[in-house]
Amino acid sequence: MEKLPKSIIPIVIAIIIVIIFISNSTVNINSGEAGVLFKRFGGGVVTDEPALGEGFHLVAPWNDVFVYEVRQQSIDEKMVVLSSNGLDIKLDVTIWYEPDYDRLGLLHKERGEDYLRRLILPAVRSATRTVVGRYKPEELYAQKRESIQEEMYVESEQMLKDQFVQVNRILVRDVSLPPTIKQAIERKLKQEQESLEYQYRLEKAEKEKERQRIEAEGKARANEILSASLTDKILREKGIQATIELSTSTNSKVIVIGSGDDGMPLILGGNN
């Protein structure tokens, strides 16, 4: 292979230098990410400009770009904290979090890339201790999980204010109490349920008793009204009507007029 002409060597070297320069000057930021620019000879971390968005970027080869995931992320955490009476309470918690996109440069400069371990987890742990420390174990067992989650979120949000990160939600997946405490609480809840059931039966029986009393009073009142309306004249008229109806029937009979104590006819005989 013949040697290259001396005039071509500088061109080859220049091409190689350009290739190296370009390869060190290009940054590709993927979906859901953003870049923080560090100017080695221009003041360090850039905080007064927007973060580098998704896509292809050209930067000076002596500068660096630190890539952050800016989508919502999650982490599962197991914690052991004390209740108000000093008993160990175990919690399984899921934290949804993300960095503050608009202040990503400040986050990198003042807090660093490991902001999850430095900021979010300590804040959530402290908030959990504060919230759980307000309750007794039996209160935690009966308390609505949503309200505990909300209290933990509010406490965490307050602690992380102006820290260039945000916690979107805290989910309490499980609350574990000491076995003896849990059994005692379950027994108490069972007794309360049985007491409520017994009270319900008593109330139902009392209502049925009241219904029967009202029904009996109604019948008695109706009988009183009926008795008051049945005068001698009405009874005699009813008797006459009944006598007329019997006399027209096909059954054989003997009718004695005026033989009753009150002058009503008597019906004697009859096949049926």
Side-chain angles (χ1 to χ4, degrees):
M1 182 176 179
E2 297 182 357
K3 295 182 178 180
L4 294 174
K6 292 183 179 180
S7 60
I8 299 179
I9 293 176
I11 298 175
V12 173
I13 294 174
I15 293 173
I16 293 173
I17 292 174
V18 169
I19 293 174
I20 295 174
F21 181 86
I22 293 176
S23 64
N24 290 332
S25 301
T26 59
V27 176
N28 185 49
I29 297 178
N30 296 321
S31 176
E33 296 178 341
V36 175
L37 181 61
F38 176 79
K39 294 183 177 180
R40 195 173 304 278
F41 305 111
V45 178
V46 176
T47 59
D48 56 353
E49 297 179 10
L52 300 177
E54 300 172 0
F56 182 82
H57 299 272
L58 282 173
V59 298
W62 51 83
N63 293 337
D64 293 324
V65 174
F66 296 89
V67 179
Y68 281 78
E69 184 173 359
V70 292
R71 289 174 293 202
Q72 177 176 275
Q73 304 163 68
S74 68
I75 184 172
D76 296 335
E77 185 74 2
K78 294 182 180 292
M79 290 178 278
V80 179
V81 294
L82 298 179
S83 63
S84 62
N85 55 1
L87 292 176
D88 287 341
I89 308 297
K90 297 179 181 179
L91 288 91
D92 290 343
V93 176
T94 297
I95 308 163
W96 292 352
Y97 68 96
E98 63 185 85
D100 186 342
Y101 185 93
D102 295 331
R103 298 188 293 176
L104 198 58
L106 290 171
L107 172 63
H108 181 75
K109 182 177 181 179
E110 299 184 15
R111 302 295 182 264
E113 296 176 274
D114 196 21
Y115 63 89
L116 173 63
R117 304 293 171 184
R118 293 180 178 179
L119 297 175
I120 294 177
L121 289 180
V124 172
R125 289 166 183 162
S126 178
T128 303
R129 287 192 294 269
T130 300
V131 172
V132 174
R134 298 171 184 163
Y135 298 98
K136 296 179 180 178
E138 56 269 24
E139 293 173 331
L140 289 171
Y141 192 84
Q143 187 81 357
K144 290 184 178 179
R145 189 169 298 181
E146 289 77 9
S147 63
I148 298 175
Q149 293 177 168
E150 182 62 24
E151 289 184 46
M152 292 169 59
Y153 169 74
V154 171
E155 291 285 344
S156 301
E157 188 180 38
Q158 185 64 31
M159 293 180 188
L160 293 172
K161 186 178 181 180
D162 297 326
Q163 295 297 319
F164 320 119
V165 295
Q166 64 185 53
V167 171
N168 297 333
R169 193 171 180 185
I170 297 176
L171 306 175
V172 178
R173 304 192 314 275
D174 185 50
V175 178
S176 299
L177 306 179
T180 54
I181 299 298
K182 183 178 180 180
Q183 292 171 4
I185 293 173
E186 289 176 347
R187 285 197 300 268
K188 181 180 178 181
L189 291 176
K190 183 178 179 181
Q191 291 171 356
E192 290 177 352
Q193 184 65 31
E194 291 174 348
S195 177
L196 290 173
E197 184 179 354
Y198 179 70
Q199 184 66 28
Y200 169 76
R201 290 200 301 268
L202 288 179
E203 292 177 358
K204 184 177 180 181
E206 187 66 26
K207 289 179 180 179
E208 178 63 19
K209 180 179 178 182
E210 180 67 13
R211 186 193 66 78
Q212 292 177 356
R213 183 186 66 80
I214 293 173
E215 183 179 356
E217 289 180 353
K219 290 180 179 179
R221 179 60 179 162
N223 290 335
E224 289 178 1
I225 295 173
L226 180 61
S227 298
S229 65
L230 293 178
T231 62
D232 293 341
K233 291 182 179 181
I234 292 176
L235 291 174
R236 188 175 293 107
E237 181 180 353
K238 295 292 184 181
I240 293 171
Q241 291 176 354
T243 302
I244 293 172
E245 292 176 358
L246 287 172
S247 65
T248 59
S249 68
T250 57
N251 297 328
S252 61
K253 62 189 79 64
V254 177
I255 302 175
V256 181
I257 304 299
S259 298
D261 294 337
D262 54 358
M264 292 294 293
L266 293 179
I267 310 301
L268 303 177
N271 295 332
N272 297 327

